[in-house]
């Protein structure tokens, strides 16, 4: 393995070490009862991420978040927290010994995790990652302070996970951009540890613990959000952490568990504002169920609710105060109807809501969208189906499935409403479906034991997951046809019955070879996970046999940024037209997201000629212009309803130019002239769609 890939993995492990150590310190201070080192590690990871995000926010607002200052902070944390991390590792070793019997699940899980690392080691290429998840932290780190980023409304959102990515960027610098992606894989590992800890706490048998973790690992949506620098895997981890600690409070009535559960809820909102929905529906449902099941007296219920709300607001308030000071809106850019917002308009708020698919729950597109999105839950939904079918017959899983069924379905509906165009917004609902899936798996194991015996039960249960794992790997992003979905349901439900009637019991164990054979076939055909690169291409990158340029050869805007980065003496800033993914650009950029509007509009407004536009650009310190017409076509299709086969002309792009306020005819013609000049004067061009031009003297 080449040095850059190995160094990225080692730096991600270093960051994970002091993150867990800081979280362990929080757990020890609160004296939260944790039943096993597995659950302790998962909780500590999420608490560490939240605490580090909070500390980095305060440092950045004080003007102390340069790369050097962050490295000093991480060095101190690594030294101070290592004794706690070392103690946890010593406790973790003996606790892992009983899992040696889960060989089938460990083998398949190891293969899936290797594929995860293979994808995570690639440079970041996802759209949102290059636009703000990594781009904004990189801008803040270079500036040495946290300030509003002009032309990027996402810089106003809660950025706890992104501030942890900033620590990753400070560790890896520009030479190792995959460190944040590898750190995200650590978040998935922490989520798996909480799943296993929850399985132990619920008394699920050894034959189901490993496959329960595979439910999460093989879910297409989880697979996708864990392999890039997206924040959604941390939301999943936070939901699991909140449920886990809430369960401990119900069992022990320990204030430390309630405090940590509330802290997890607060950190959730500092990662993503949409997590506020998790406060309303699932937690309210679990809370009411706890009250009814355990018959809490009103004073105890009221005091617990007040304590939960007070502690949950503690990490959220600084983010809201910051936004109130910056824009006058604590949840900017959301809530325009309630709070307004400086530099924000009703048209922009409407596009933000419509573009992200916040639709009426009674609309037909909402239910169609929900139906087509069931595939992203993959095996979680399939095994949950088994659990629901036998719910009335199996008394011992009622307590596990009952409240989660109601809250899980409610969360699926709510996150589909909020998510709209992005499946990954529904990731928290996956976390709520996990207990259902474990209940279904436990039922399958009970059935198999009655027919085949204990040894074959593990292999039979694992084999039932084989077609689902195969689809999770074969289909990029998890979208598969409805007929394939029904086939997976049928195979998953009928495989134990088929095994009993059609083959001797000793042959059922051989069914575990199905996942291995499918994986070998898929690797040979190059059909797994995401992107157009084959596994050989990705392995070549990880092993240092291909360059970054070869991996990004299809991303023309990155090639244009590479050209700009290689200019020896850049005279000034770069104006980006139709483009906002600035992570790979070293020079300062003037740009705007589709919601902010094109910054070129401000230079064209009121101008009488193209020369006057050039003069204004030079006065603003701009020396080069990059135009990405391919991105303009995508934005028009996604946000303004342009048909996919419509040609790219000035008339078809005009709605993008007229947003958020229409241009005059003279200004519109100046925009057309500018676009023609950028194409004709290009010093760098790809396909006539992406061009870089230098402003005339």
């Amino acid at each position: 393995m080449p040095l850059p890939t190995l160094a990225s993995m080692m730096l991600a492990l270093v960051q994970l070490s002091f993150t867990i150590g800081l979280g362990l310190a929080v757990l020890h201070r609160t004296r939260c009862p944790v039943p096993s080192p597995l659950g302790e590690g998962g909780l500590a990871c999420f608490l560490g991420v939240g605490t580090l995000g909070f500390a980095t926010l305060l440092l950045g607002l004080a003007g102390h978040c340069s790369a050097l200052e962050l490295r000093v902070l991480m060095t101190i944390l690594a030294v101070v927290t290592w004794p706690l991390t070392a103690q946890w590792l010593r406790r973790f070793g003996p606790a892992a010994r009983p899992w040696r019997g889960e060989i089938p699940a460990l083998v398949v899980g190891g293969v899936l995790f290797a594929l995860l690392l293979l994808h995570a080691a690639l440079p970041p290429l996802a759209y949102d990652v290059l636009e703000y998840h990594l781009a904004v932290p990189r801008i803040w780190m270079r500036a040495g302070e946290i300030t509003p980023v002009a032309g990027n409304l996402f810089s106003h959102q809660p950025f706890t996970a992104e501030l942890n990515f900033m620590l990753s960027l400070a560790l890896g610098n520009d030479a190792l951009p995959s460190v944040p992606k590898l750190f995200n894989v650590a978040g998935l590992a922490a989520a798996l540890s909480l799943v296993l800890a929850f399985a132990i706490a619920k008394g699920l048998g050894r034959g189901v613990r490993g496959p329960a973790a595979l439910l999460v690992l093989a879910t297409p949506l989880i697979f996708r959000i864990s392999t890039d620098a997206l924040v959604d895997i941390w939301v999943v981890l936070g939901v699991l952490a909140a449920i886990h600690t809430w369960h401990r409070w119900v069992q022990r009535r320990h204030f430390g568990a309630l405090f940590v559960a509330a802290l997890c809820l607060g950190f959730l909102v500092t990662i993503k504002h949409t997590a506020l929905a998790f406060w309303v529906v699932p937690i309210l449902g679990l809370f009411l169920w706890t009250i009814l099941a355990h018959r809490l007296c009103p004073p105890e219920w009221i005091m617990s609710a007040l304590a939960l709300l007070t502690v949950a607001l503690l990490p959220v308030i600084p983010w809201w105060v910051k936004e109130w000071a910056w824009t006058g809106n604590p949840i900017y850019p959301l809530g325009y109807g309630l709070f307004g917002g400086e530099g924000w308009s009703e048209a922009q708020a409407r596009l933000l809501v419509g573009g992200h698919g916040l639709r009426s729950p009674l609309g037909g597109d909402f239910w169609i969208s929900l139906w087509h999105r069931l595939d992203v839950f993959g095996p979680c939904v399939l095994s949950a189906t088994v659990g629901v079918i036998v719910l009335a017959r199996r008394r011992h899983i009622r307590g596990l499935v009952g409240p989660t069924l109601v809250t899980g379905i409610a969360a699926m509906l709510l996150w589909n409403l909020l998510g709209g165009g992005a499946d990954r917004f529904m990731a928290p609902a996956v976390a709520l479906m996990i207990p259902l899936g474990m209940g279904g798996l436990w039922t399958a194991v009970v059935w198999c034991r009655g027919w085949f015996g204990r040894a074959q039960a593990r292999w039979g249960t694992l084999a039932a997951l084989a077609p689902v794992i195969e689809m999770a790997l074969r289909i990029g992003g998890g979208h598969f046809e409805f007929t394939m979905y029904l086939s997976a349901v049928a195979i998953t439900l009928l495989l134990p019955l088929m095994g009993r009637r059609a083959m001797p019991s000793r042959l059922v164990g051989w069914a575990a070879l199905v996942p291995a054979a499918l994986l070998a076939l898929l690797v040979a055909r190059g059909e797994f996970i995401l992107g157009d690169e084959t596994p050989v291409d990705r392995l070549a990158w990880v092993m240092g046999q291909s360059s970054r340029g070869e991996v990004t050869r299809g991303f023309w805007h990155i090639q244009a940024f590479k050209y700009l980065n290689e200019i020896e003496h850049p005279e000034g800033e770069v104006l980006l037209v139709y483009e906002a993914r600035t992570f790979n650009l070293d020079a300062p950029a003037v740009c705007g997201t589709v919601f902010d509007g094109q910054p070129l509009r401000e230079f064209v407004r009121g101008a009488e000629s193209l020369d006057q536009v050039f003069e204004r650009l030079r006065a603003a310190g701009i020396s080069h212009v990059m135009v990405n017409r391919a991105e303009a076509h995508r934005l028009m299709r996604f946000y303004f309803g342009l048909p996919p086969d419509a040609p790219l002309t000035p008339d078809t792009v005009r709605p993008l130019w007229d947003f958020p306020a229409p241009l005059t005819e003279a200004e519109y013609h100046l925009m057309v002239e500018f676009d023609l000049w950028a194409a004709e004067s290009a010093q760098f061009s790809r396909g006539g769609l992406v061009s870089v031009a230098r402003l005339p003297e």
Side-chain angles (χ1 to χ4, degrees):
M1 186 174 292
L3 184 59
T5 303
L6 184 60
S8 297
M9 293 183 178
M10 293 302 296
L11 289 174
L13 285 176
V14 169
Q15 184 177 0
L16 178 63
S17 172
F18 64 73
T19 300
I20 290 179
L22 187 60
L24 290 171
V26 174
L27 285 176
H28 289 180
R29 293 290 296 177
T30 59
R31 299 183 179 180
C32 176
V34 182
S36 69
L38 277 173
E40 188 179 21
L43 282 175
C45 185
F46 183 72
L47 292 173
V49 165
T51 307
L52 279 171
F54 184 80
T56 310
L57 170 67
L58 298 182
L59 286 174
L61 292 175
H64 297 290
C65 65
S66 65
L68 178 60
E69 290 168 319
L70 293 178
R71 291 183 191 125
V72 172
L73 170 66
M74 289 184 285
T75 302
I76 295 174
L77 285 175
V79 173
V80 172
T81 61
W82 172 247
L84 289 174
T85 307
Q87 292 177 9
W88 172 74
L89 288 174
R90 285 194 290 269
R91 294 193 302 272
F92 183 81
R97 290 174 185 171
W99 300 95
R100 294 176 182 174
E102 301 283 352
I103 294 178
L106 290 176
V107 170
V108 177
V111 173
L112 294 176
F113 227 86
L115 297 179
L116 270 170
L117 291 174
L118 184 63
H119 185 70
L122 290 171
L125 298 174
Y127 190 97
D128 291 352
V129 171
L130 300 181
E131 186 179 45
Y132 60 95
H133 286 307
L134 291 184
V136 171
R138 188 170 184 254
I139 292 172
W140 285 343
M141 186 175 65
R142 291 195 164 197
E145 62 178 341
I146 293 179
T147 57
V149 177
N152 198 322
L153 84 160
F154 298 106
S155 64
H156 295 273
Q157 293 183 343
F159 259 33
T160 288
E162 285 87 350
L163 291 180
N164 281 266
F165 294 159
M166 185 162 68
L167 299 178
S168 302
L169 293 174
L171 283 173
N173 212 342
D174 293 339
L176 302 173
S178 60
V179 176
K181 296 177 62 178
L182 292 167
F183 184 64
N184 251 18
V185 177
L188 173 61
L192 295 178
S193 70
L194 281 177
V195 171
L196 294 174
F198 196 73
I200 295 174
K202 280 298 182 180
L204 300 184
R206 290 180 61 183
V208 77
R209 295 171 186 173
L214 286 180
L215 278 177
V216 187
L217 192 56
T219 299
L221 178 62
I222 298 297
F223 219 117
R224 177 152 50 102
I225 64 177
S226 304
T227 53
D228 222 316
L230 299 168
V231 304
D232 304 273
I233 189 61
W234 298 105
V235 179
V236 171
L237 177 59
V239 171
L240 289 172
I243 292 176
H244 188 75
T245 48
W246 179 264
H247 182 253
R248 296 300 298 169
W249 179 78
V250 170
Q251 287 183 326
R252 303 280 295 273
R253 291 294 195 278
H254 192 285
F255 180 76
L258 183 65
F259 182 90
V260 172
L263 205 57
C264 290
L265 291 178
F267 285 147
L268 269 175
V269 179
T270 66
I271 294 174
K272 210 163 193 174
H273 264 143
T274 52
L276 277 170
F278 182 72
W279 287 21
V280 177
V281 177
I283 284 299
L284 182 60
L286 289 176
F287 209 5
L288 292 176
W289 169 77
T290 304
I291 295 169
L292 296 176
H294 295 269
R295 295 180 174 84
L296 299 182
C297 59
E300 185 179 2
W301 177 82
I302 294 174
M303 293 302 297
S304 300
L306 289 176
L308 186 75
L309 182 62
T310 302
V311 176
L313 287 175
L314 289 178
V316 183
I317 288 177
W319 290 96
W320 288 349
V321 171
K322 172 183 72 70
E323 281 313 308
W324 185 276
W326 283 1
T327 66
N329 181 347
I331 57 174
Y332 186 93
L334 303 176
Y336 178 80
L338 293 175
F339 304 103
E342 184 178 347
W344 198 237
S345 67
E346 184 178 353
Q348 290 169 300
R350 192 184 310 115
L351 182 68
L352 177 65
V353 171
H356 282 78
L358 290 110
R359 310 178 180 93
S360 168
L362 301 179
D365 56 347
F366 169 77
W367 299 106
I368 294 174
S369 177
L370 175 63
W371 180 256
H372 287 294
R373 280 209 180 93
L374 285 177
D375 60 353
V376 303
F377 291 93
C380 235
V381 169
L382 299 183
S383 286
T385 304
V386 181
V388 172
I389 290 175
V390 299
L391 178 60
R393 298 179 56 189
R394 299 291 175 181
R395 184 181 299 274
H396 61 277
I397 65 170
R398 284 183 180 177
L400 175 68
V401 177
T404 314
L405 174 62
V406 178
T407 57
I409 293 175
M412 283 178 60
L413 294 173
L414 186 59
W415 258 284
N416 189 75
L417 173 64
L418 294 176
D423 292 333
R424 57 189 177 85
F425 288 1
M426 297 182 68
V430 176
L432 291 170
M433 296 292 290
I434 288 170
L436 279 174
M438 288 192 293
L441 270 180
W442 175 246
T443 304
V445 169
V446 171
W447 285 351
C448 289
R449 283 178 177 175
W451 291 332
F452 307 128
R454 296 194 175 191
Q456 288 78 13
R458 294 197 201 105
W459 295 97
T461 304
L462 189 61
L465 284 175
V468 187
I469 295 175
E470 182 264 346
M471 281 188 290
L473 295 176
R474 182 167 61 83
I475 306 299
H479 295 281
F480 45 84
E481 296 296 332
F482 181 61
T483 53
M484 298 177 66
Y485 184 78
L486 289 181
S487 300
V489 173
I491 294 175
T492 304
L493 296 179
L494 298 179
L495 185 62
L497 185 61
M498 292 166 55
R500 180 190 180 193
R501 295 184 177 180
M503 64 180 79
S505 60
R506 66 175 180 270
L507 296 181
V508 177
W510 291 98
L513 295 177
V514 175
L518 288 171
L519 288 175
L521 176 62
L522 298 172
V523 169
R525 295 179 59 184
E527 300 179 2
F528 75 101
I529 317 182
L530 296 172
D532 297 328
E533 297 85 8
T534 66
V536 176
D537 294 333
R538 296 181 178 186
L539 188 60
W541 160 261
V542 173
M543 299 305 295
Q545 301 301 315
S546 65
S547 65
R548 177 188 176 91
E550 292 176 1
V551 174
T552 60
R553 58 184 177 269
F555 295 82
W556 287 345
H557 74 283
I558 295 181
Q559 298 300 318
F561 290 160
K562 181 180 179 182
Y563 168 79
L564 289 167
N565 294 338
E566 292 174 351
I567 297 177
E568 295 183 2
H569 302 288
E571 295 83 355
E573 299 181 346
V574 180
L575 174 67
L576 305 183
V577 183
Y578 316 129
E579 183 60 71
R581 293 168 289 178
T582 61
F583 175 71
N584 299 102
L585 180 62
D586 293 337
V590 177
C591 62
T593 68
V594 65
F595 309 108
D596 294 284
Q598 296 302 311
L600 179 59
R601 290 165 38 90
E602 302 304 319
F603 298 97
V604 170
R605 189 176 299 278
E608 297 179 356
S609 66
L610 193 58
D611 290 335
Q612 188 176 358
V613 175
F614 291 149
E615 184 179 347
R616 291 179 177 181
L617 291 171
R618 287 191 295 267
I622 295 172
S623 62
H624 290 77
V625 176
M626 194 275 269
V627 181
N628 188 349
R629 298 169 190 84
E631 179 63 11
H633 196 269
R634 190 196 72 85
L635 294 176
M636 286 300 305
R637 286 188 288 108
F638 191 81
Y639 293 101
F640 297 96
L642 182 70
D645 55 349
L648 187 65
T649 65
D651 289 336
T652 57
V653 181
R654 182 161 186 177
L656 188 60
W657 292 346
D658 282 338
F659 180 81
L663 299 172
T664 65
E665 286 299 318
E667 292 167 347
Y668 165 70
H669 289 298
L670 280 178
M671 295 283 281
V672 175
E673 287 184 46
F674 188 91
D675 190 272
L676 291 174
W677 165 83
E680 294 172 355
S681 306
Q683 298 170 320
F684 172 93
S685 180
R686 285 293 182 272
L689 295 175
V690 177
S691 59
V692 177
R694 181 176 178 176
L695 288 179
E697 298 294 338

